Amino acid sequence: MKTILTLIGTLFVFSTINATDIDLQKGMVITHSVSFLSKTYLLNADMDLSKPILVIEGSNITIDFKQAILKGSNDQKNPDKFYGLAILIKKGSKNIILKNAMIHGFKVAVMADSVENLTIDQCNLSYQYRQYLKSNWQREDISDWMSFHHNEKDEWLRYGAGIYLKNCINPTISNNEVTGSQCALLMTNTRKATVYHNNFSFNSAIGIGLYRSSQNTIYNNKLDFNVRGYSHGKYKRGQDSAGFLVFEQSSDNIFAYNSATHSGDGFFLWAGQTTMDSGKGGSNDNFIYNNNFSYAPTNGIEVTFSRNLIMKNIIKDCDHGIWGGYSFDTDITDNTFANNRIGIAIEHGQNFNIALNSFENDLTGVKLWSREKQPEDWVYPTLKNTESRNYWIAANRFTATETAFNIMGTDTVVFSGNIKLMVNQPLILGERVENIDTSREASVFDMDYQKDERLKLIKVKELPTLSSPSGKKEIKMTVWGPYDFSYPYLHLKEIDQQGIYQFEVLGPAGKWKPEKMEGFELVAMGIDSFPSTLSVKADTVNPYKQIVLTRAGNAYTNQFGQLITDDRPFTYQAFVPQNNWDINWYQWDAAHDPEKDYETFKQIFNQVPVKSAKNKSIDFTWWGKIGNDLPADSFATVAETKLLLKAGTYEIGITADDLVKLTIDDKNIIDAWEAHYTALDENTYHSKSIYLEAGWHQFRIIHAEKKGLATLQFYLNPLWN
């Protein structure tokens, strides 16, 4: 039993003669097969992702962690501060097997660059980096929106990942779990991957993401509850989260027998900026077969500016079942739609076959339309015909659907043998409609189709079962992502007009009881086991709101992946001052451009405001004008208030587009008066922790909007003891 150890600089290079298990140490370079002692390793990585804990380099190497746990970012409490890379599999490596690893607490757990025949199997890579979400139960915050449009320089890495593959050929990703992270598996320039039997659920952005990645086979995975930007009955835009993300020239992939429910989009495909700028290419010829994309706040499937085959999927209770804007030469065949606002919505589509689908209880079954004029800043419609035209719609079944077909701005639609039962409006035709052929609609039309030969690549042909409660009402967002039903959680459902807060008391089996309340008085309690309810009335004087409950029961895993064995409390905390903000809005001109000279810009505050108001909070998002006959662009906001505070540390936050400053007691606290802060949505949020003495404090916000979307949202939260 012998192990050879060579020290080169700060790196350890291991090669094993026999199968003795070894200790994992920071800076190791593995060049031969090895297995690790099965224990917990607390090792902080460097901030630089090019300096991982462990490097794997070479050919024909198996690395068996034997369930050893590698934990990074041990000096950080919250996942938005996680950093570093656990494992890098270097360029040129071949035939690498990584298995049985338990890796948590990094920006990225495993990265492989230009590796051929990589296998990652039986690994738990959960609880990596994820953003702190500012959207709450009442309204969303634009700083939570994702932006995937570019990844030529690995821009997606800023979101972190359980697994990040780039330039890889023939990887196999199987039987792994990534939960409690922002993104599970991201692949860029990766070909011929086989991805199966993974559980990539309950992440705050993406289950599986592809960028310039083609000829991959992805099947029998669970990608449920990859979601953000949702509050049931309040807002539902999803903020570009998705079970599947397929971007920028990702073609000839197979997606079959996957469950991607309760995600922002179940499946989100976009041709890419290359297509938008050239009118060519796309994310084409993907085969989307027999998946469950139900309960998406936005689209069950979104496929845009591309050509694809969509067959035998289940799409229930989404806003749109399928959104196919600007797609072409696409087949939508034998899918099941139910309880969607619109089953199939296609804007500016061309050459579609829509056949053998069933629609039940959808408000609209199929909607086809076009705009009269394209956006002036788009290159795409100047290079490619974008008329809405050429649809063959046959042998579909509509049951209890309010409107079967709603068509406008479209040329040439042929209907044949569509069955309509309990349909209020069989066909609505709007303006600019030509060549609508319904002559064969009353006939019985029986048809069949051939299965795609690519299905032979699928080993297991069954959908994974959903183990969590189903329905969009079960999407309950926390500041760290979707609630996963494994730990006790006090979920605010509603505040009624009487100021009564209605909570759901959720969690694994056990008993609960109130321990402490501040700023509330008890109104009603449900049963003392989970799930239950709690109603409390807010004290209108005390702005500090806190409810502390305790749970007694078996051990559970909390939202940070920690095993909790004691009767630990769980809480709801908020700061709700009753003071008014005095707010004034001003118009500025080129002579007072806020980015050129701040002192000159401030002269506009000597003018009469174009609008004034008193508000309980600073919570504005303007998609257009700030009021009737008032500006939408080139305006400034000045907001002031005084707050009586307890002594303590406070987290101060502002989301602003475009420029913002905050002073407290005339001291500069936040200064984001530069355009680069709005280059990415996540950079529009600015925060700082400060200690404030007990007493009154003066707050002043100065905000300037240039053009486009404008937002200004202010946060003040005490750091509770």
Side-chain angles (χ1 to χ4, degrees):
M1 307 290 284
K2 185 178 180 182
T3 301
I4 299 173
L5 170 62
T6 306
L7 179 64
I8 302 177
T10 61
L11 300 178
F12 296 94
V13 180
F14 277 86
S15 62
T16 61
I17 293 177
N18 293 312
T20 303
D21 296 344
I22 62 172
D23 263 323
L24 173 60
Q25 299 180 46
K26 182 177 179 180
M28 280 182 168
V29 176
I30 301 295
T31 60
H32 292 77
S33 295
V34 68
S35 58
F36 291 110
L37 291 169
S38 182
K39 64 181 189 180
T40 298
Y41 300 92
L42 304 179
L43 299 173
N44 293 341
D46 289 57
M47 296 293 291
D48 188 344
L49 293 179
S50 68
K51 299 177 180 178
I53 297 290
L54 177 67
V55 172
I56 301 167
E57 183 176 16
S59 299
N60 305 313
I61 301 171
T62 297
I63 303 92
D64 189 350
F65 266 70
K66 290 190 171 181
Q67 307 302 318
I69 299 171
L70 172 56
K71 177 71 170 66
S73 304
N74 299 287
D75 55 341
Q76 297 296 332
K77 179 181 178 183
N78 292 330
D80 61 336
K81 305 299 182 185
F82 288 175
Y83 58 90
L85 171 61
I87 297 177
L88 172 63
I89 306 169
K90 292 194 73 173
K91 288 183 178 180
S93 296
K94 294 182 180 181
N95 304 324
I96 306 295
I97 299 174
L98 173 64
K99 62 182 181 179
N100 301 319
M102 313 280 284
I103 302 174
H104 316 298
F106 292 86
K107 190 67 176 278
V108 179
V110 179
M111 183 188 297
D113 184 0
S114 305
V115 177
E116 187 174 347
N117 297 331
L118 165 68
T119 296
I120 301 176
D121 185 58
Q122 299 285 349
C123 294
N124 189 319
L125 308 175
S126 301
Y127 304 108
Q128 313 302 341
Y129 171 89
R130 49 190 153 145
Q131 291 170 280
Y132 180 94
L133 300 177
K134 278 72 67 179
S135 302
N136 61 29
W137 73 280
Q138 288 179 305
R139 54 100 188 101
E140 64 176 327
D141 186 308
I142 67 164
S143 68
D144 292 339
W145 275 81
M146 307 293 291
S147 178
F148 299 108
H149 290 76
H150 301 284
N151 197 36
E152 305 300 330
K153 299 179 180 179
D154 294 317
E155 289 90 343
W156 289 8
L157 280 174
R158 72 186 188 272
Y159 298 132
I163 302 170
Y164 189 90
L165 307 180
K166 61 178 180 176
N167 309 316
C168 291
I169 299 175
N170 200 37
T172 298
I173 310 298
S174 56
N175 304 299
N176 303 290
E177 182 171 359
V178 182
T179 189
S181 302
Q182 188 149 326
C183 302
L185 168 63
L186 300 178
M187 300 190 292
T188 184
N189 289 308
T190 291
R191 295 188 295 114
K192 298 183 179 180
T194 304
V195 182
Y196 67 96
H197 283 186
N198 300 284
N199 184 2
F200 296 154
S201 301
F202 293 102
N203 300 292
S204 66
I206 300 300
I208 297 177
L210 281 67
Y211 189 91
R212 293 191 183 275
S213 293
S214 299
Q215 299 175 295
N216 302 291
T217 303
I218 301 173
Y219 68 93
N220 212 236
N221 300 284
K222 293 182 68 172
L223 299 97
D224 303 305
F225 289 91
N226 290 292
V227 63
R228 65 210 278 134
Y230 183 77
S231 179
H232 194 62
K234 305 293 191 307
Y235 58 90
K236 57 179 183 180
R237 295 201 299 156
Q239 297 172 333
D240 281 349
S241 58
F244 287 103
L245 175 70
V246 183
F247 246 51
E248 185 64 65
Q249 317 305 309
S250 292
S251 299
D252 296 299
N253 299 290
I254 302 171
F255 304 91
Y257 300 100
N258 300 286
S259 177
T261 66
H262 302 86
S263 296
D265 280 346
F267 187 95
F268 178 14
L269 177 148
W270 182 58
Q273 197 60 46
T274 300
T275 297
M276 301 304 293
D277 293 339
S278 70
K280 299 179 182 179
S283 291
N284 296 323
D285 301 317
N286 295 287
F287 186 28
I288 307 163
Y289 181 84
N290 213 329
N291 305 278
N292 190 346
F293 296 125
S294 299
Y295 312 117
T298 51
N299 308 307
I301 298 175
E302 178 175 341
V303 283
T304 55
F305 302 92
S306 299
R307 173 186 67 240
N308 293 286
L309 173 57
I310 304 167
M311 183 181 293
K312 293 189 76 68
N313 300 283
I314 301 169
I315 310 173
K316 298 181 178 180
D317 195 15
C318 303
D319 188 47
H320 300 100
I322 294 177
W323 174 276
Y326 293 84
S327 282
F328 52 89
D329 300 339
T330 290
D331 283 0
I332 301 175
T333 303
D334 201 11
N335 300 281
T336 300
F337 299 91
N339 302 308
N340 304 290
R341 186 173 67 86
I342 301 176
I344 298 173
I346 304 171
E347 177 188 18
H348 290 272
Q350 294 183 355
N351 306 322
F352 267 76
N353 296 326
I354 301 174
L356 292 167
N357 302 285
S358 69
F359 300 83
E360 185 172 355
N361 289 315
D362 302 289
L363 289 179
T364 298
V366 177
K367 182 175 180 179
L368 313 175
W369 80 103
S370 68
R371 311 181 224 189
E372 288 192 82
K373 186 179 181 181
Q374 298 288 353
E376 294 181 358
D377 58 346
W378 279 21
V379 176
Y380 183 85
T382 69
L383 301 171
K384 190 176 177 71
N385 186 297
T386 58
E387 295 174 356
S388 177
R389 66 185 188 190
N390 300 340
Y391 289 87
W392 185 59
I393 303 177
N396 300 284
R397 184 182 183 92
F398 299 85
T399 305
T401 299
E402 178 65 23
T403 300
F405 301 106
N406 188 333
I407 301 172
M408 60 88 67
T410 298
D411 183 359
T412 309
V413 182
V414 177
F415 297 92
S416 186
N418 296 288
I419 300 171
K420 307 175 192 71
L421 303 173
M422 297 182 290
V423 171
N424 187 38
Q425 293 279 352
L427 175 61
I428 296 176
L429 295 178
E431 60 184 9
R432 296 181 292 111
V433 173
E434 298 181 44
N435 301 314
I436 304 299
D437 182 356
T438 60
S439 63
R440 287 170 286 179
E441 184 67 331
S443 63
V444 176
F445 192 92
D446 190 17
M447 60 180 293
D448 200 358
Y449 55 85
Q450 291 184 340
K451 289 189 176 180
D452 195 296
E453 288 296 310
R454 290 177 289 180
L455 283 177
K456 292 179 180 179
L457 299 172
I458 307 299
K459 297 176 183 177
V460 179
K461 298 184 178 181
E462 61 182 25
L463 272 169
T465 57
L466 183 66
S467 57
S468 304
S470 63
K472 284 189 289 190
K473 69 180 186 305
E474 302 299 341
I475 301 174
K476 305 175 194 301
M477 297 303 302
T478 78
V479 296
W480 299 115
Y483 174 64
D484 70 1
F485 308 96
S486 69
Y487 57 89
Y489 175 53
L490 196 53
H491 174 69
L492 178 58
K493 187 176 180 180
E494 189 62 83
I495 303 175
D496 67 20
Q497 294 181 345
Q498 286 72 45
I500 296 176
Y501 287 54
Q502 307 285 353
F503 290 95
E504 294 177 276
V505 186
L506 305 172
K511 299 287 186 180
W512 67 275
K513 63 179 180 180
E515 201 65 36
K516 176 185 175 183
M517 286 192 188
E518 179 182 4
F520 291 115
E521 61 178 75
L522 180 64
V523 174
M525 284 176 52
I527 58 176
D528 65 354
S529 58
F530 298 88
S532 188
T533 59
L534 177 68
S535 300
V536 296
K537 187 173 179 59
D539 181 338
T540 58
V541 176
N542 185 358
Y544 296 85
K545 312 292 185 187
Q546 183 176 211
I547 301 171
V548 181
L549 309 179
T550 55
R551 173 192 174 272
N554 295 332
Y556 63 89
T557 300
N558 71 5
Q559 61 186 323
F560 304 115
Q562 301 163 334
L563 182 65
I564 307 300
T565 59
D566 56 8
D567 296 342
R568 192 168 300 187
F570 58 106
T571 65
Y572 169 83
Q573 296 166 334
F575 182 70
V576 190
Q578 298 299 305
N579 306 58
N580 280 319
W581 287 81
D582 293 309
I583 311 170
N584 291 308
W585 285 272
Y586 302 86
Q587 183 88 65
W588 55 266
D589 55 21
H592 298 84
D593 188 325
E595 288 189 282
K596 290 183 178 178
D597 184 86
Y598 182 69
E599 294 303 317
T600 302
F601 163 74
K602 288 197 302 182
Q603 294 174 5
I604 66 169
F605 303 148
N606 298 323
Q607 303 171 5
V608 176
V610 297
K611 180 182 178 181
S612 297
K614 289 184 180 293
N615 279 38
K616 292 292 185 185
S617 62
I618 300 298
D619 191 359
F620 300 104
T621 299
W622 298 280
W623 297 96
K625 296 180 180 181
I626 62 175
N628 293 333
D629 301 320
L630 294 176
D633 300 314
S634 302
F635 68 85
T637 311
V638 178
E640 296 181 284
T641 193
K642 281 188 176 181
L643 298 176
L644 180 61
L645 303 176
K646 297 178 181 179
T649 301
Y650 291 80
E651 181 78 11
I652 313 291
I654 292 180
T655 297
D657 188 327
D658 290 289
L659 313 173
V660 71
K661 291 177 182 282
L662 167 71
T663 62
I664 301 178
D665 302 327
D666 296 322
K667 296 178 182 178
N668 289 322
I669 304 300
I670 291 174
D671 188 345
W673 207 262
E674 294 180 23
H676 71 85
Y677 288 113
T678 58
L680 297 169
D681 285 337
E682 63 259 33
N683 293 344
T684 60
Y685 178 73
H686 320 282
S687 66
K688 191 169 185 179
S689 294
I690 62 170
Y691 181 84
L692 295 173
E693 299 286 352
W696 288 95
H697 295 274
Q698 178 79 32
F699 291 75
R700 189 170 196 249
I701 298 170
I702 298 176
H703 160 256
E705 162 63 10
K706 295 185 294 181
K707 63 179 181 178
L709 169 73
T711 188
L712 182 63
Q713 294 169 311
F714 174 76
Y715 304 87
L716 177 63
N717 293 302
L719 300 184
W720 301 81
N721 295 325

